[in-house]
Amino acid sequence: MNSDIKKILKNSIISSLIVFLYGILVRSAVVYIGVFVGSLISAMCFYSIYMEAEAAVRSDNAFRITLTGYMKRYVIYGVFLGVLLKFFGTSMGVGGAMGLLNVKANIALMTLATFFKKLVNKLDKIK
């Protein structure tokens, strides 16, 4: 597994645990159920993307593998958000949607960190 993918998964799981602990501290079900479970589903689906990409590279029928994987992931997202909205209400649904953005937020933070490191290195070379 690529080191960047491992780092993204590790950071996503750590941020999920931080969200869970924060939810317990503030005693908010929206945070420790909606956001935490959404974060875990997000990490699981990101790993699923990685596995599908590896399988597609080795397969003759890459289109079918990627299409079915895509559909599975979005069915999982839809069922998760649908259950939250149906049984727990809008606030839990919004919390779950925020949790589903966990991996994307971690990727954005890693990209920004890399950009700023390169910027600092360029500025140090100019001096």
Side-chain angles (χ1 to χ4, degrees), residues 9 12 30 58 69 78 80 85 92 100 102 109 112 118 125:
L9 281 172
S12 296
V30 170
R58 294 188 181 100
F80 171 67
L85 288 170
M92 187 72 80
L100 290 176
N102 179 27
L109 288 174
L112 282 173
K118 287 181 182 179
K125 287 180 183 179

Side-chain angles (χ1 to χ4, degrees), residues 46-114:
F46 181 72
Y47 182 72
S48 141
I49 291 171
Y50 170 75
M51 297 305 291
E52 290 161 14
E54 277 193 347
V57 168
R58 294 188 181 100
S59 174
D60 293 332
N61 199 354
F63 179 75
R64 183 183 59 82
I65 291 172
T66 55
L67 183 64
T68 57
Y70 177 83
M71 296 303 288
K72 281 189 255 183
R73 281 193 309 279
Y74 279 90
V75 165
I76 290 170
Y77 295 154
V79 168
F80 171 67
L81 291 175
V83 166
L84 288 181
L85 288 170
K86 173 82 173 162
F87 296 109
F88 298 104
T90 306
S91 61
M92 187 72 80
V94 170
M98 288 174 53
L100 290 176
L101 297 174
N102 179 27
V103 170
K104 291 163 185 62
N106 279 298
I107 291 171
L109 288 174
M110 284 179 58
T111 304
L112 282 173
T114 303

Side-chain angles (χ1 to χ4, degrees), residues 14-47:
I14 289 171
S15 62
S16 296
L17 292 175
I18 290 169
V19 164
F20 182 71
L21 292 174
Y22 174 73
I24 290 174
L25 288 175
V26 297
R27 296 180 182 177
S28 171
V30 170
V31 175
Y32 70 79
I33 293 174
V35 180
F36 174 67
V37 175
S39 297
L40 291 180
I41 289 174
S42 177
M44 177 192 70
C45 287
F46 181 72
Y47 182 72

